Amino acid sequence: MYKKLILCGWLLALFITIPSRADTNNPAKLYHVATESDDVVSRVLFDAIAHEFGIDIQYVTYTSYDDLLNSVERGDSDFAANVTYTEGRSKYFDFSSPINVEYSYLFTRSTRTLNSLHSVAVPRGSIYGKLLEDKFPRLEVQYFNGINEAQDMLKTAQVDGVVSAINQLRPMLAKGYEAQLLNDKIMVHPVSMIATKGKHLQMLKQFEHFAYSNDMQKLLRDTIARYQFDMRRQALRQRVLDSGINAQRTLKVKFQNLPIYANYQNDGQVKGISADVVMKACDILLLRCEIASRENETWEHMFQDLREGDIDVVAPIIISDERKKFVNFSDSYYHPHALLIKRENYKNGLYHDISEMVVERIGVIKDDFFEELLHNILPHKSLSTFNSQKELVKAVLDGDVDYIVLSQADYIQVLRDSPKMLPLVVDERVGDFYQFDVAIGFKKDVNGLKLAHLFSQALNIIDTDQVIKRYEYQPDWRSNMALQKRYDRNSQIMLVLVILLLLFIGFYVQRHMIIDSLTKARNRRSLCRRFVHGVPKDLSLVYVEVDDFKEINEKYGFDIGDAVLKELARRMKSLWKGQCYRFSGDEFVAVNLVSPKDVQAYIEHIESYIYVDSERELSFPVKLSIGVSLSREHAMPLSEVLHLIYQQMKESKIS
């Protein structure tokens, strides 16, 4: 009994002294995380860390970025996030590898771009000052401590704009300032977590590994995207209330029935670029919008209704100086090209410019922008007008007119919807002769002007590119159909066979140039060609070398050595999601964009195995040396990456 008590006590003491995943010194400790106000990224990240590692987190909010850094340096706070690595800061903090991108904004009193500003203010102690001075040397950069000082500098016109991080989005929008995402304008460096120097390095590495997981990265991105959208939508809805517009009044909207812009469905819905964009904007602004148009309604009638004030909104509408007299326009959300279309083989190569076509019969839709455009290009020329695009296309096919004008997307849609190949082509010389701006039109009154401004702001947070891609078809499809039609002709069969044969030969030669004949893995030439411009910073490389391979050849023969290499290549390729290369005799390199967790699992599976040759009744262990490069601060030449891996392996063996 006494011995059992001693054993239980020993086990209990051992259990108590086992270090937790969170902290090897004090698992019950409360950790302080320094943040600025409304720092959604830090809170999402450290809330997830607290849950994953079972630790207690308390957030400490600081009014300026400098104060935040100072608190971690002094040890008043244990951790912080969203800090860019610099040599100077590395003296005072331990850094994780980069975790995410810092979302950065330009805040201005009205819609402006960085190129149009003379001066901006940035947080003191942040990396923005250096970035802006390098990219925009003529821009005067000033510094502020805290959001209140930044707002005062904007309000009193001390600066034209403020550049800061996403945590300032809510308060700046609440004050009525415009916000423009800058990540595609300036090279914002990725940011890391930091800890007080020498205090929590082991924990920081554990947090880093967790933050690199797919689930955590997805959570960060989804949360940030939703936060940005919600903040901007909330601010816009408040601006609707502040504008004096009656949000309870239903806005009457009309959509012109054009294939990719507004397509009337059997269930009463309207789908298309313009329909989707307008209705999304109505939802963002929390305005009641009702479709008042009919499928067969003419553009002339819709435009007249807008001018007379019988409706509030019309789309799509092309911006022009003449129309600005009668319509308030939103910003443009689509920039298509106008094409001059004719019947196939009609007067090929005769005209160089549309202004030369004074004797041709040209068709347009009545009161459409293209009618206005051609009257300006060909003054005093009589044009043939039609009520719809369908009538317009029929007229050129029937020979009632010789040329018509369509947008590029509408032309593709017309060809696509036809059950047979239409004899319509773009005039080879005149062709794409004008690019125009498509917008949303509003009544020419005070309310219409307010709505135009609000809808323009809503367009800034709608993914219009995604909407356009959903409906706009690529222009190459007609060429593909024509090619298929020619292939059906007997005279082209031999040409096709020759082309296919040449392609096969080219593929066969190319494959043998890049594939290792023994292991069937890609060879060194393929690896070097792939990274001729350097290895991207986020790509993972795993270097594998067979230990004592010379002894295997000497002891068992070269055929066994070859079999060992083939088996290794097979195992590497079967367990790796990316490409595997035979770099030299017994050296292989695996490459892919994967998480550190996946790389570690891969190493554990391949780092050693038993080679078995049942025919020779032979088996022996094969040991491997493995080096890894998970990520780098920037793209690097392949030779430098491999050199770093070699050094890492060498130091590992020495230690």
Side-chain angles (χ1 to χ4, degrees), residues 509-548:
V509 172
Q510 176 71 10
R511 179 174 175 80
H512 278 70
M513 288 178 65
I514 65 173
I515 299 297
D516 175 56
S517 59
L518 175 65
T519 64
K520 307 306 178 187
R522 292 178 178 259
N523 60 20
R524 181 172 185 156
R525 180 199 298 269
S526 177
L527 180 66
C528 294
R529 180 185 296 177
R530 177 176 177 180
F531 297 119
V532 66
H533 298 300
V535 181
K537 62 185 181 67
D538 294 325
L539 210 60
S540 295
L541 274 73
V542 179
Y543 168 86
V544 179
E545 181 180 19
V546 180
D547 289 345
D548 303 319

Side-chain angles (χ1 to χ4, degrees), residues 200-453:
H200 302 297
L201 184 58
Q202 183 181 352
M203 291 182 68
L204 197 62
K205 291 298 181 185
Q206 293 174 344
F207 295 170
E208 172 191 313
H209 184 74
F210 170 65
Y212 268 43
S213 66
N214 291 340
D215 289 344
M216 190 61 226
Q217 287 294 310
K218 185 176 188 305
L219 175 63
L220 276 173
R221 277 153 181 75
D222 290 349
T223 303
I224 292 168
R226 172 51 58 183
Y227 174 81
Q228 292 178 91
F229 181 82
D230 287 346
M231 289 301 99
R232 302 185 80 173
R233 180 176 63 180
Q234 179 181 327
L236 277 176
R237 289 177 175 178
Q238 183 60 46
R239 290 179 190 179
V240 172
L241 298 176
D242 296 341
S243 71
I245 291 174
N246 182 4
Q248 301 304 312
R249 188 178 75 84
T250 300
L251 299 178
K252 293 183 179 180
V253 183
K254 288 197 172 185
F255 295 115
Q256 185 183 8
N257 186 9
L258 291 172
I260 70 164
Y261 295 99
N263 188 10
Y264 287 76
Q265 311 288 307
N266 294 331
D267 60 1
Q269 294 189 28
V270 183
K271 298 291 185 182
I273 293 174
S274 295
D276 286 11
V277 166
V278 170
M279 300 314 287
K280 283 177 183 289
C282 291
D283 178 68
I284 288 171
L285 298 168
L286 211 60
L287 293 172
R288 297 180 178 180
C289 295
E290 177 186 86
I291 299 176
S293 51
R294 303 181 305 277
E295 181 177 1
N296 58 353
E297 191 170 355
T298 65
W299 167 249
E300 178 187 14
H301 186 264
M302 293 182 189
F303 191 55
Q304 188 64 28
D305 279 352
L306 185 70
R307 290 182 59 174
E308 293 177 358
D310 294 332
I311 61 173
D312 302 284
V313 185
V314 69
I317 184 167
I318 300 171
I319 300 173
S320 73
D321 290 337
E322 181 63 27
R323 288 178 174 179
K324 287 179 181 178
K325 301 173 184 176
F326 313 104
V327 180
N328 285 312
F329 288 95
S330 72
D331 290 343
S332 173
Y333 56 87
Y334 186 36
H335 314 281
H337 293 261
L339 304 179
L340 188 67
I341 311 298
K342 64 174 185 173
R343 292 183 302 279
E344 201 168 12
N345 297 322
Y346 179 78
K347 294 187 178 180
N348 290 334
L350 180 61
Y351 298 106
H352 294 79
D353 189 271
I354 197 169
S355 61
E356 301 172 354
M357 303 175 66
V358 292
V359 300
E360 298 295 340
R361 298 176 300 169
I362 304 176
V364 293
I365 295 175
K366 188 175 183 180
D367 286 337
D368 184 72
F369 169 76
F370 292 145
E371 181 181 11
E372 177 186 328
L373 176 65
L374 291 184
H375 275 314
N376 290 331
I377 297 174
L378 295 164
H380 311 301
K381 177 173 174 55
S382 176
L383 302 172
S384 300
T385 59
F386 301 88
N387 289 323
S388 68
Q389 184 173 286
K390 185 176 180 180
E391 292 179 14
L392 184 68
V393 172
K394 185 176 185 300
V396 72
L397 289 173
D398 292 345
D400 297 333
V401 295
D402 303 310
Y403 293 90
I404 61 173
V405 179
L406 294 175
S407 73
Q408 177 176 283
D410 282 339
Y411 170 58
I412 295 166
Q413 186 69 45
V414 166
L415 296 178
R416 184 183 179 89
D417 289 345
S418 174
K420 61 180 181 179
M421 196 71 179
L422 295 178
L424 295 179
V425 295
V426 179
D427 187 275
E428 60 186 17
R429 290 202 175 182
V430 179
D432 172 0
F433 69 95
Y434 190 82
Q435 185 175 20
F436 52 97
D437 296 317
V438 177
I440 308 168
F442 302 87
K443 286 193 298 187
K444 192 69 174 179
D445 59 15
V446 174
N447 266 2
L449 183 61
K450 292 178 180 178
L451 286 171
H453 182 62

Side-chain angles (χ1 to χ4, degrees), residues 83-277:
V83 180
T84 304
Y85 175 87
T86 66
E87 289 288 344
R89 288 175 180 172
S90 66
K91 299 175 182 177
Y92 308 106
F93 309 109
D94 287 323
F95 278 81
S96 72
S97 296
I99 301 299
N100 60 284
V101 174
E102 178 75 289
Y103 290 85
S104 305
Y105 282 86
L106 169 65
F107 302 103
T108 50
R109 291 181 294 275
S110 59
T111 304
R112 302 280 297 276
T113 63
L114 273 173
N115 288 321
S116 67
L117 304 184
H118 297 292
S119 59
V120 295
V122 301
R124 191 176 303 279
S126 72
I127 199 71
Y128 292 122
K130 179 80 166 58
L131 290 176
L132 291 172
E133 287 169 356
D134 290 344
K135 185 72 181 292
F136 301 93
R138 296 182 181 178
L139 197 60
E140 178 191 343
V141 178
Q142 300 183 36
Y143 297 88
F144 64 83
N145 290 309
I147 188 62
N148 292 333
E149 184 177 349
Q151 290 173 344
D152 287 343
M153 294 175 80
L154 265 180
K155 184 178 180 180
T156 58
Q158 296 177 51
V159 292
D160 301 321
V162 166
V163 173
S164 192
I166 188 175
N167 60 296
Q168 307 299 352
L169 183 61
R170 185 201 297 265
M172 294 301 272
L173 289 173
K175 289 292 185 179
Y177 294 113
E178 301 288 342
Q180 179 189 155
L181 191 63
L182 287 182
N183 286 53
D184 60 339
K185 306 293 191 305
I186 58 176
M187 294 296 293
V188 181
H189 297 295
V191 289
S192 305
M193 293 181 288
I194 61 169
T196 306
K197 189 74 173 179
K199 193 174 179 181
H200 302 297
L201 184 58
Q202 183 181 352
M203 291 182 68
L204 197 62
K205 291 298 181 185
Q206 293 174 344
F207 295 170
E208 172 191 313
H209 184 74
F210 170 65
Y212 268 43
S213 66
N214 291 340
D215 289 344
M216 190 61 226
Q217 287 294 310
K218 185 176 188 305
L219 175 63
L220 276 173
R221 277 153 181 75
D222 290 349
T223 303
I224 292 168
R226 172 51 58 183
Y227 174 81
Q228 292 178 91
F229 181 82
D230 287 346
M231 289 301 99
R232 302 185 80 173
R233 180 176 63 180
Q234 179 181 327
L236 277 176
R237 289 177 175 178
Q238 183 60 46
R239 290 179 190 179
V240 172
L241 298 176
D242 296 341
S243 71
I245 291 174
N246 182 4
Q248 301 304 312
R249 188 178 75 84
T250 300
L251 299 178
K252 293 183 179 180
V253 183
K254 288 197 172 185
F255 295 115
Q256 185 183 8
N257 186 9
L258 291 172
I260 70 164
Y261 295 99
N263 188 10
Y264 287 76
Q265 311 288 307
N266 294 331
D267 60 1
Q269 294 189 28
V270 183
K271 298 291 185 182
I273 293 174
S274 295
D276 286 11
V277 166

